[in-house]
Amino acid sequence: MLLLDSLKMPGDVVVLRLGDIVPADCRLLGIGVHGEPVEGNLQIDQSALTGESLPVSKGKGSTAYSSSIVKQGQQMGVVTKTGERTFIGRAATLMSNTNEQGHFQKVINRIGNFLVVVTVVLVAIIFTVLMVKSGGHDVLKVLGDVLVLTVAAIPVGLPTVMSVTMAVGAKQLAKKEVIVKRLTAVEEMASVSVLCSDKTGTLTLNELTFDQPWLCKGYTSDDILLYSYMAAEQGANDPIELAVRTAARAQLDVLKSLGERETKIPGYKTTSFLPFNPVTKLTQATILNQATGETFKVAKGAPQVIIKLTGGSDDAVHAVNSLARRGLRALGVARTIGGDLEEWELIGMISLLDPPRPDSGETIARCHEMGVSVKMITGDQLIIAKEVAQRLGMQRAILDAQKLVEADAPEEEIVRRCVKADGFAQVIPEHKYRVVELLQEQGLLVGMTGDGVNDAPALKKANVGIAVHGCTDAARSASDIVLLAPGLSTIVDGITTSRAIFQRMRSYALYRITSTIHFLIFFFFVTIIFQWQLRAILLIFIAVLNDAATLVISVDNAQISPKPDKWRIGQLITMSVVLAVFLTAASFAHFFIARDVFHVSKEELETIMYLHISSCPHFVIFSTRLSGFFWENIPSWTFTVAILGTQVFAMLISVFGVPGLTTAIGWGWGCGIIAISLGYFIVLDFVKVFLFRVWSFELTAKLWPTPARRRELAKRKVQKAVKARVVTNTEKVRTAMRAIYAISLLQSSVSEKQSTM
């Protein structure tokens, strides 16, 4: 039964013609509409599904995938799979199964949960102690005090500052033609250490073009281009014919003057033309040279056919094999000579390749410099992938994707193959998804680029999915970032900007955790021991004013890391606790000196401690901006003015006093506290630098020895031992070479003395 509607069921018969979109996965029958045998194969463009750069030839018994496009030929087929069971349906299923919490959200949750737990525990202890000391009375007052302390301590501004920082970064990326769809992808892109890139249309131009030809003696590159053009079918949409016409028009002076629709070669006339025939596998043209009156034939086609036509040549066979080993598609070109239309002479072999984009090699090199490993993923054959990888400056360690799904291979071996490979060939959507999954299981943050339906599942699965210029709707909807400019060059800009944004967020996180822990530790002890507290209005005023000022960190200067960034939560919290302890010491120093040395009033003590708690932890943000000393990267003027401006405001309302809010303490206390806070942040800066210098993965693994850290520590020890052994062996070789050189000098000296005696 022949169905003409779009609803197909397994067993239905369909006709596939030029330009048709295949409605379901179909097995080709090798017959035409009227049941006649079909000589040629269907040429089907399935690049959006598999990533293959050229149309695929499919004959009787082959499967035509749903949503692929018929480019040449006509056949009948029987439907074998529909819906989610089709090739493209399986890709859609993979996308629907991928719905994981983002990396950034996990980090924020861990930081937030830690601070909330610490706050709740300490506040609960304070509440219990105060209730015991009050004998159970004044429950509402104690409850109100601890609730205000809780609200002031919990960093409610943390997500807001982070979001504003990422939003400003997204705006900066938009100016560089990088559109961010998911805001948290801005932060995650800074941590990407592996970038899996689709080849066709991303690393390459997705255009079949002329490569370096192999020529017979006496012929030039222009000659083979001219004769190829003569034997090309004008107006045909075949990618090979189009490549021939495009290259000839671009390089030959005789054709450059032709109009867009002109096809005749000046001085030559085509008297007959035989288009490509799947039986003969060549095109042939009879040409009249109008200047000399000579008539000759030109043929272009499969290398083996052209070699046979010209009588055979060992050199030509060797050239074809050499091109094939490099993954280049070869076409033979020949012409008749001496006026004899049956005597053929081989001109040479043209080679065709989807070439790399001009900027792809430089982009990959820059990614490697930034610590990002690039892995090429393609649906093309293995030899083609290796040739393109070599031209891109990559290693030729390309893996056949089937090696990732071998049933008898252990999981550890598959993981090792995936990590070591520089690329993967002959992939399908499941393979791309599998590559991303395996890399993520190793703790790596993975970026994935692509433009087709076949890339959509992997784009969805990756930590950062990047849809490139000219992508399909499926790829765009599955991605987190969309590139508006062709190629991958804008990714480097994206990585650089993302790392700057990451540094700003990490500096704020370190400052905010330090400030919160200091706040909790100081008020925990001062409340329990001395029953002293700041009024609720002052606590809220500190929290709101300081968090509002830190919003400008989104436009601060940043020191960009040369390697992928990573949230080290343990290190972050440990450093925050150490800095908070130093801040708590400074707070108690202010408290005791003001109360016991200068004997200030209760109201003045409250204002003094307000100004100190507002300024001293706040100035620490100048130190937490980077891991080195604060002067190594000067903050922006906007950031500096905002931070200093809030504390000048706090100083003024403390110096002059505000009725109902603060009590006047005079210029001496006001300027002194601000000066001490500024000087103390420099002291804390040296502490921070010392902690960063002594901190290492080995230290973390010893302090918190998780199974994963033990394995990584053992791995590093092995690598260090191997490196030391190599260095030792190298030094032994050098010592031996020096000894041999010294002996040779000694022998030559003895020989000279003997010759002079």
Side-chain angles (χ1 to χ4, degrees), residues 4 36 92 117 153 164 211 236 270 381 487 499 508 566 645 653 706 742:
L4 298 178
E36 73 281 5
V117 169
V164 170
D211 200 63
T270 304
Q381 298 295 316
R499 290 186 183 179
Y508 173 76
K566 184 178 181 181
I653 64 174
T706 62

Side-chain angles (χ1 to χ4, degrees), residues 67 73 83 93 116 150 195 225 227 242 286 376 526 560 670 673 713:
S67 299
T93 303
V116 168
T150 303
L195 180 64
L225 264 181
Y227 290 119
L242 182 61
T286 303
M376 182 179 69
V526 82
I560 299 172
I673 292 173
L713 186 60

Side-chain angles (χ1 to χ4, degrees), residues 285-306:
T286 303
I287 307 296
L288 171 64
N289 187 330
Q290 294 175 330
T292 63
E294 177 191 7
T295 299
F296 59 92
K297 290 182 178 181
V298 181
K300 172 174 61 66
Q304 65 273 18
V305 173
I306 299 298

Side-chain angles (χ1 to χ4, degrees), residues 104 108 157-167 505 508-509 567:
F104 178 72
I108 292 298
L158 181 64
T160 302
V161 175
M162 297 290 198
S163 297
V164 170
T165 302
M166 289 187 291
M505 290 193 295
Y508 173 76
W567 287 100

